Amino acid sequence: MIHTPLCDLLGVQYPILNASMSETATGRLAAAVSNAGGFGMIGGTSSGGAEWVREQIRIARSLTDRPFGVGFISCFPEIDELVEVALDERVHAINHSFADPARFVPAAHDAGIKVFAMVQTVALAEQAVASGVDVVIAQGGEAGGHGGHLGTFALLPSVVDAVGARTPVIAAGGIGDGRGLAAALLLGAQGVWMGTRFVASEEWGGERFKQQAVADSTADDTTTTTVYDEIWAEHFPPEISHRVLKNDLVERMRGKESEIAAKRNEFQAEQAVATKGENRRIAGISAGLAAGLVDSTLPAGEIVRQIIAEAEMVLRNRPAELLG
Ligand SMILES: Cc1cc2nc3c(=O)[nH]c(=O)nc-3n(C[C@H](O)[C@H](O)[C@H](O)COP(=O)(O)O)c2cc1C
């Protein structure tokens, strides 16, 4: 059975976590992942606010007695209010993405809560570990949603070399099946954190047409853009970009992103119409290269079980094939 020290640290059977995708990694998704033996994460959101986070934590708790956590886009202005809810509700772990996690660590540890930090470079991993986080998530640029530019295959072992002796490292970005889990473990990760694969899970909280678009896509069908950050006036650090499925709007506005601010209301209205009309040529669909590994929407628990079974098979059979 696949087991790493991270499983003991988090109190879970399998080293699989769903990514804390804001507003769509619901309490229902987190509970399904935890119930299947993984570690479920809720994606805290600024638009839903603190009450949404509290509600989702309570939903998760009503569906599982296993550990789960909440993650945040910690560069957003509402972060303190959202973290307060997670502390108050005593979740098992809090993830911080896109901001220095240092100032959040003491209060979480005082409350007995583990702190994760998602990082995109070796320097950020070292900074996070120096501030006392319990787990580092090394996120490669293949990732869906917001992320950096360094590829998982080289970033991950570099982060493991830099901080892995002190802090467990989880791999993220481009992992969508058992082969990815097996490879990440061989590169020194103690677990995997997956977003795109769980977009196409029955418990994901977003629109069905977005799940279908991910299932229909290949690894060639994503691109990075700032178009949607401009439309929603969301401010991420400058080195962070947004990986989405390619579409007409992204192509039309490429190089003209700075024009969006002046007509933000019109672009937002266009998004509302496109989402209602299930128009994937205009609506923003966050997804990474792992979209090429996804061809159907499945229950989240089934995804966890399939990935574990496939990784176990790969780890048993490939070495024998390769080494004779
Ligand atoms: C639909 C979607 C939404 C995401 N939203 C967030 C978010 O709110 N906060 C965050 O830290 N990461 C977010 N991410 C990035 C994930 O945390 C994770 O790093 C990424 O999904 C891993 O790569 P993968 O998509 O190849 O599995 C999102 C990813 C996707 C696909």
Side-chain angles (χ1 to χ4, degrees):
M1 193 180 89
I2 291 178
H3 189 90
T4 68
L6 177 80
C7 299
D8 300 325
L9 183 79
L10 300 181
V12 297
Q13 209 175 346
Y14 302 128
I16 293 184
L17 299 86
N18 71 279
S20 48
M21 298 171 270
S22 79
E23 222 164 334
T24 52
T26 56
R28 220 176 127 234
L29 175 59
V33 170
S34 292
N35 281 333
F39 191 87
M41 290 294 296
I42 292 167
T45 157
S46 42
S47 56
E51 278 325 299
W52 186 89
V53 174
R54 197 182 295 281
E55 186 191 348
Q56 297 305 316
I57 292 171
R58 294 194 173 167
I59 288 172
R61 220 164 248 147
S62 73
L63 296 172
T64 187
D65 51 15
R66 300 201 178 176
F68 64 87
V70 183
F72 299 109
I73 298 176
S74 304
C75 57
F76 283 179
E78 311 78 2
I79 181 64
D80 290 305
E81 198 193 334
L82 302 182
V83 167
E84 204 46 50
V85 175
L87 293 174
D88 188 43
E89 291 285 336
R90 293 283 193 277
V91 294
H92 285 79
I94 298 176
N95 176 59
H96 291 286
S97 295
F98 314 122
D100 182 349
R103 73 184 181 87
F104 304 107
V105 174
H109 283 173
D110 286 350
I113 297 171
K114 305 242 173 333
V115 182
F116 304 166
M118 191 167 83
V119 301
Q120 295 77 29
T121 63
V122 177
L124 287 174
E126 280 172 338
Q127 184 190 64
V129 168
S131 69
V133 304
D134 302 282
V135 171
V136 163
I137 301 156
Q139 185 206 31
E142 298 91 327
H146 289 85
H149 302 282
L150 308 181
T152 305
F153 210 86
L155 174 67
L156 171 61
S158 301
V159 170
V160 169
D161 286 347
V163 304
R166 288 169 284 163
T167 308
V169 177
I170 293 177
I175 300 162
D177 61 17
R179 293 171 297 179
L181 169 58
L185 294 174
L186 291 177
L187 289 171
Q190 292 201 21
V192 293
W193 167 277
M194 293 183 295
T196 299
R197 175 58 270 200
F198 284 107
V199 167
S201 69
E202 282 176 9
E203 295 84 354
W204 188 69
E207 293 83 4
R208 301 298 120 182
F209 80 98
K210 295 186 178 176
Q211 298 181 304
Q212 191 55 48
V214 167
D216 293 343
S217 297
T218 75
D220 301 352
D221 292 333
T222 76
T223 186
T224 55
T225 182
T226 55
V227 162
Y228 295 100
D229 292 343
E230 288 294 339
I231 291 176
W232 299 113
E234 287 183 334
H235 303 297
F236 283 82
E239 63 281 5
I240 294 297
S241 57
H242 183 198
R243 189 170 290 282
V244 298
L245 295 183
K246 288 176 188 167
N247 69 16
D248 293 354
L249 178 66
V250 170
E251 284 320 307
R252 173 158 55 92
M253 295 312 295
R254 198 173 290 285
K256 295 187 265 183
E257 293 84 354
S258 59
E259 296 172 15
I260 291 173
K263 297 186 202 153
R264 189 162 277 140
N265 289 345
E266 286 168 40
F267 279 96
Q268 290 185 356
E270 185 188 32
Q271 283 302 300
V273 171
T275 302
K276 196 152 181 272
E278 305 193 341
N279 180 357
R280 59 172 90 163
R281 288 179 292 109
I282 302 293
I285 303 179
S286 292
L289 276 67
L293 305 171
V294 175
D295 56 19
S296 62
T297 296
L298 295 171
E302 190 54 33
I303 292 172
V304 172
R305 284 186 287 275
Q306 278 189 7
I307 289 178
I308 289 290
E310 189 189 2
E312 284 179 351
M313 198 174 70
V314 169
L315 290 169
R316 278 210 181 87
N317 297 344
R318 281 297 278 162
E321 284 165 19
L322 295 171
L323 300 173

